[in-house]
Amino acid sequence: MTPTTETRPRWILHVDLDQFQVSVERLRSPELAAVPVIVGGNGDPTEARKVVTCASYEARDVGVRAGMPLRAAYRKLPDAVYLPTDHVTYDVASEEVMDTLRSFGHPVEVWGWDEAYVGADVDDPEALAAQIRGRVAERTGLASSIGISDNKQRAKMATGFAKQGTPGGDDRVFTLTGDNWMALMGHRPTRDLWSVGPKTADKLTALGVDTVADLVGTDRDALIERFGPHQGNWLYVLSRGGGDATIAVEPYVARSHSKVETFPRDLTSRDEMAAALSRLTRDLLDQVVAEGRVVFRVALTVRTTTFFTRTKSKKLPHPTTEFTELEAALLTLLDRFELDRPVRLLGPRLDLVLPPDA
């Protein structure tokens, strides 16, 4: 395997998917839109020792948060829709997003299902951010917010401003640099700094340090004496908007290849859909064969003119690269959809057998 490589790009974009698990659930069940949705455990809010993994904004408005016991969430919001955590579906949705980020040709450092950093040496990072948000939404149906800075910590905090609609931001994109750092962060509590937890904040308060500006005005030696050389120096750097300016790219082995097409004219007949699906499948298979890979499962995403979007998948009887077998499996999936409305988008996906060293 190729070793991890690091780059120091001019700009770092922190891409954060909005209420990821809830959004994925709403894509396959649009009737959940605008109602409180809570994902966690097996979907039973009375089950002991299970926690919320994602809450919709409607649920967050009444105090439900990720990490909260499901029972506590149920006491706050008994009428919410509670859903089990579906790891396989979230894995697939996340991989589609990360593949979309990589399609821009910039290094990508993945931090989980719903979070990644993109390093870019561009003159207009805001324009790139807008393009990323648009392409992710078009290909996956998922919304995102993007924070921009020259290091990962500050970019992560910029995303918080993007989500809040802070003046100076543009449609869920916000840039936080040395120019506006103190104006936006100086008056805020130290707890608002990325990686500063409640215990560290309490220790700082005991020193008379309540805000980021207070921390900037604290002598580095005093911080080292109280927190040790590693954390003391880190707090000194972090308070000034500094951080890790590298993007670490792990060796990437695609787990699937997908191709999504939004048609200039909606498809109304099955023959039109089948022809488009065959063409997209052939293009995907050429890519798979060129990489020496083999397909073990197929999936198909369909979006109608009403933006109803759903994905269905099917495991193959055996791994293959035979076009006729893949085409037949995808057409079988197509027939599982209720095609009573014109189709705006088709997106076949081929899931691949991983090589032994991946």
Side-chain angles (χ1 to χ4, degrees), residues 81 103 203 231 332:
V81 175
S103 72
K203 291 178 181 178
Q231 189 178 13
T332 298

mmCIF file of all heavy atoms in Angstrom, residues 81 103 203 231 332:
data_model
loop_
_atom_site.group_PDB
_atom_site.id
_atom_site.type_symbol
_atom_site.label_atom_id
_atom_site.label_comp_id
_atom_site.label_asym_id
_atom_site.label_seq_id
_atom_site.Cartn_x
_atom_site.Cartn_y
_atom_site.Cartn_z
ATOM 1 N N VAL A 81 -40.009 10.974 15.684
ATOM 2 C CA VAL A 81 -39.809 9.696 14.994
ATOM 3 C C VAL A 81 -38.435 9.163 15.380
ATOM 4 O O VAL A 81 -37.418 9.844 15.167
ATOM 5 C CB VAL A 81 -39.904 9.877 13.470
ATOM 6 C CG1 VAL A 81 -39.575 8.566 12.757
ATOM 7 C CG2 VAL A 81 -41.283 10.378 13.072
ATOM 8 N N SER A 103 -13.547 14.070 -6.608
ATOM 9 C CA SER A 103 -13.699 14.353 -8.036
ATOM 10 C C SER A 103 -13.206 15.741 -8.412
ATOM 11 O O SER A 103 -13.003 16.034 -9.596
ATOM 12 C CB SER A 103 -15.180 14.201 -8.442
ATOM 13 O OG SER A 103 -15.967 15.268 -7.936
ATOM 14 N N LYS A 203 -10.358 24.900 34.165
ATOM 15 C CA LYS A 203 -9.013 25.204 34.667
ATOM 16 C C LYS A 203 -8.588 26.609 34.236
ATOM 17 O O LYS A 203 -7.937 27.328 34.994
ATOM 18 C CB LYS A 203 -8.017 24.166 34.152
ATOM 19 C CG LYS A 203 -8.194 22.765 34.756
ATOM 20 C CD LYS A 203 -7.199 21.796 34.154
ATOM 21 C CE LYS A 203 -7.383 20.392 34.727
ATOM 22 N NZ LYS A 203 -6.454 19.408 34.110
ATOM 23 N N GLN A 231 0.169 20.758 26.038
ATOM 24 C CA GLN A 231 -1.122 21.431 26.026
ATOM 25 C C GLN A 231 -0.981 22.948 26.208
ATOM 26 O O GLN A 231 -1.728 23.721 25.608
ATOM 27 C CB GLN A 231 -2.042 20.860 27.108
ATOM 28 C CG GLN A 231 -3.477 21.364 26.993
ATOM 29 C CD GLN A 231 -4.400 20.759 28.036
ATOM 30 O OE1 GLN A 231 -3.958 20.139 28.996
ATOM 31 N NE2 GLN A 231 -5.701 20.938 27.848
ATOM 32 N N THR A 332 -33.386 -5.131 -12.994
ATOM 33 C CA THR A 332 -34.267 -5.717 -11.974
ATOM 34 C C THR A 332 -34.540 -4.710 -10.870
ATOM 35 O O THR A 332 -35.685 -4.572 -10.397
ATOM 36 C CB THR A 332 -33.631 -6.986 -11.379
ATOM 37 O OG1 THR A 332 -33.463 -7.961 -12.413
ATOM 38 C CG2 THR A 332 -34.505 -7.569 -10.272
#
